[in-house]
Amino acid sequence: MADVVLFHHLLGLTDGVRAFADQLRAGGHTVHTPDLFDGERPATLDEGFALMKRLGAVLDDRADRALADLPKDLVYAGFSYGAGMAQQLAQTRPGARGALLYEACLPVTGEWAVGPWPDGLPVQVHGMEKDPFFGLEGDIDAARELVDLAGPDRAELFVYPGDQHLFTDSSLPSYDAEATALVVARSRAFLDRLA
């Protein structure tokens, strides 16, 4: 089965992130959930953003340490801020098997791009159509471009009705159980194809 590293969002490694990981594990996959905030749980996205800025390069160091003892052939996954980290690692770390990007997607061309998408690397992107960050700030456009460049046999974009950010986190008021069930099913199918 697939080996996955799942990066949390700006509110930290919440019970909802852990629960999502457990749902992927229930499909037989190994899922690692590093805590890049070292136990800190910001109460709001603004506080999480401030913590991220304060920690700066420490976050990359923590991610490197978390990955040091893991196999190279990982599927990189993450929520929101964590999706950006997962995408960067999938694009730059040798041996990546795939990427699962939840509620965020970085551009793969232009000035803000990390670099080109690796040939043949499978990816799935999930987000809500009116999420103020994913749907309304350009991430959905970056996801569409990524799918176009990677090709329909390697890339999928799933857009869900709604306007919530962090809708997959069952510990938050933004949680959408019905949409999350689809995200989990599609993610597990993706991982099964890689196994």
Side-chain angles (χ1 to χ4, degrees), residues 35-57:
D35 186 350
L36 301 184
F37 287 177
D38 196 25
E40 290 193 59
R41 299 291 172 274
T44 66
L45 290 175
D46 286 343
E47 289 176 22
F49 184 75
L51 175 61
M52 179 195 72
K53 296 303 263 181
R54 182 169 45 85
L55 290 173

Side-chain angles (χ1 to χ4, degrees), residues 150-172:
D153 58 329
R154 287 285 171 193
E156 297 172 291
L157 168 61
F158 295 104
V159 180
Y160 304 84
D163 60 1
Q164 296 299 308
H165 191 60
L166 306 181
F167 71 93
T168 54
D169 188 322
S170 59
S171 65
L172 300 176

Side-chain angles (χ1 to χ4, degrees), residues 63-130:
D64 289 343
R65 282 197 307 274
L67 296 172
D69 295 327
L70 299 181
K72 295 290 182 203
D73 59 342
L74 289 166
V75 176
Y76 295 94
F79 301 98
S80 189
Y81 154 76
M85 180 162 283
Q87 183 175 342
Q88 289 180 41
L89 290 165
Q91 287 185 240
T92 60
R93 200 163 188 255
R97 290 189 62 202
L100 286 164
L101 309 178
Y102 304 114
E103 307 181 70
C105 186
L106 302 173
V108 290
T109 62
E111 150 180 25
W112 299 104
V114 176
W117 190 256
D119 286 341
L121 184 67
V123 59
Q124 254 187 17
V125 185
H126 300 263
M128 281 197 162
E129 62 184 344
K130 294 181 181 172

